[in-house]
């Protein structure tokens, strides 16, 4: 709080590690201003710690300070038998201790979540990862903190190379800020030069590239999908081809507005289907289904190397 009062406990929960780090840094800074934390703090790992040890630390009185800080990382790894003593403690917590729990995910139905939520509206701190549409703005904001501006293309390329991990994105932007000279915006060429491609392409990105009839992008994706199974990719491609055939049929009948209901998908998932469907003739799509059947048979019978057979099918389809 602004007047340096604190709730007895906070739960910082979400898969955005950068946000969790920022919350922890701010809390530590606020509490350390009230006394020396080297004498007034304890840190536990929820994967190993016992609930009774955490409660004992919470009940310890501060030394030459107004507040003690007890930190529990990986709080979602606490066993029920270990978080139950914490739930009981929070019914009558020590007024001179702040208990800070950090978790990637924790069910709202769990007793621990409910016990902390009951302490006040600010007790639960949401650190969920940003949605894909919000990530470019977040990257631009992080860059601004390092005195950088990035072109839109540079932001998109950085996300493609690094992925959605905000800690990794922050690390790359910090590295770029140390080498970037001048006031010009960081462009795609600079990202390509300085940032290693460490993020694996998602299967849906490959299927979208296939739907867009983009051979270059498909090859690029395949080179950055080491863990993707060719069988799963072929199945996903076949599903998309069927969706495009249905889209073409509805377009011919001027009934494409019913596409989300026909496919059983939300509207946002099919917003590009009409554009993609125009990239292929119905005969081309039907032929791709036939060749996909033959390719799958060759892959499963051992008559062909699965990866090579799938790549050949993709190139023939896009030729």
């Amino acid at each position: 709080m602004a007047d340096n009062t604190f709730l007895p406990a906070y739960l910082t929960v979400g898969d955005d590690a950068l946000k969790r780090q920022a919350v922890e840094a701010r809390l530590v800074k606020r509490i350390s201003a009230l006394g020396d934390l080297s004498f007034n703090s304890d840190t536990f790992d929820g994967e190993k710690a016992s609930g009774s040890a955490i409660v004992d630390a919470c009940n310890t009185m501060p030394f030459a300070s107004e507040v003690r800080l007890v930190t529990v990382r990986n709080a979602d790894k606490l066993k029920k038998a270990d978080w139950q003593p914490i739930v009981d403690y929070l019914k009558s917590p020590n007024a001179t201790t702040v208990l800070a729990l950090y978790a990637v995910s924790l069910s709202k139905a769990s007793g621990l979540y409910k016990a902390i939520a009951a302490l006040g509206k600010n007790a639960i701190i949401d650190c969920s990862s940003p949605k894909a549409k919000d990530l470019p703005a977040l990257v631009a904001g992080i860059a601004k903190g390092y005195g950088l501006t990035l072109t839109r293309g540079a932001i998109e390329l950085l996300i493609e190379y690094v992925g959605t991990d905000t800690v990794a994105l922050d690390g790359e932007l910090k590295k770029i800020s140390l080498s970037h000279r001048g006031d010009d915006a960081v462009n795609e060429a600079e990202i390509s030069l300085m940032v290693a491609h460490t993020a694996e392409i998602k299967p849906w990105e490959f299927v979208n590239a296939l739907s867009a009839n983009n051979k270059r992008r498909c090859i690029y994706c395949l080179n950055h999908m080491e863990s993707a199974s060719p069988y799963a990719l072929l199945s996903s491609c076949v599903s998309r081809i069927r969706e495009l055939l249905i889209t073409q049929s509805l377009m011919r009948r001027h009934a494409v507005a019913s596409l989300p209901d026909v496919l059983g998908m939300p509207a946002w998932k099919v917003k590009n289907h009409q554009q993609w469907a125009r990239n292929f003739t119905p005969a081309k799509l039907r032929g791709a289904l036939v060749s996909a059947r033959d390719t799958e048979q060759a892959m499963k019978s051992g008559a062909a190397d699965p990866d090579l057979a799938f790549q050949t099918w993709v190139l023939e389809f896009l030729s």
Side-chain angles (χ1 to χ4, degrees), residues 111-309:
L112 183 57
Y113 189 102
K114 290 180 178 179
I116 298 173
L119 297 174
K121 65 177 183 179
N122 296 322
I124 305 294
I125 303 170
D126 182 15
C127 287
S128 301
S129 289
K131 296 179 181 178
K133 65 181 181 66
D134 299 325
L135 195 55
L138 176 65
V139 170
I142 297 173
K144 187 176 180 180
Y146 288 116
L148 295 172
T149 56
L150 277 71
T151 66
R152 177 72 185 193
I155 290 175
E156 292 175 352
L157 190 61
L158 179 65
I159 294 171
E160 181 176 303
Y161 277 18
V162 179
T164 59
D165 186 330
T166 50
V167 173
L169 288 168
D170 179 75
E172 291 297 336
L173 287 168
K174 183 177 181 180
K175 181 176 70 176
I176 293 169
S177 71
L178 296 174
S179 62
H180 183 71
R181 295 292 179 267
D183 297 327
D184 293 342
V186 176
N187 56 31
E188 294 171 63
E190 194 166 352
I191 297 295
S192 298
L193 182 65
M194 293 201 57
V195 180
H197 194 145
T198 57
E200 185 169 352
I201 299 292
K202 304 291 190 301
W204 61 263
E205 295 181 71
F206 169 78
V207 176
N208 285 352
L210 186 85
S211 305
N213 201 15
N214 190 334
K215 185 189 296 186
R216 181 186 295 273
R217 177 66 180 171
C218 282
I219 294 172
Y220 178 85
C221 289
L222 286 173
N223 286 328
H224 294 88
M225 298 176 66
E226 295 179 1
S227 64
S229 161
Y231 300 99
L233 287 174
L234 182 62
S235 176
S236 297
C237 291
V238 167
S239 295
R240 177 58 59 78
I241 289 171
R242 287 174 175 154
E243 292 169 12
L244 297 183
L245 280 167
I246 292 171
T247 303
Q248 290 179 344
S249 177
L250 292 174
M251 289 169 67
R252 288 193 295 271
R253 287 182 280 156
H254 305 288
V256 76
S258 63
L259 183 61
D261 293 330
V262 172
L263 294 180
M265 297 179 178
W268 66 267
K269 272 196 172 184
V270 299
K271 66 179 182 179
N272 293 318
H273 276 51
Q274 288 186 69
Q275 178 183 339
W276 290 334
R278 295 187 182 99
N279 291 326
F280 310 98
T281 65
K284 179 74 171 177
L285 295 177
R286 287 195 295 270
L289 289 180
V290 173
S291 61
R293 176 203 61 192
D294 297 338
T295 298
E296 183 179 38
Q297 185 176 26
M299 290 163 64
K300 291 184 175 179
S301 67
D305 175 78
D307 289 303
L308 182 59

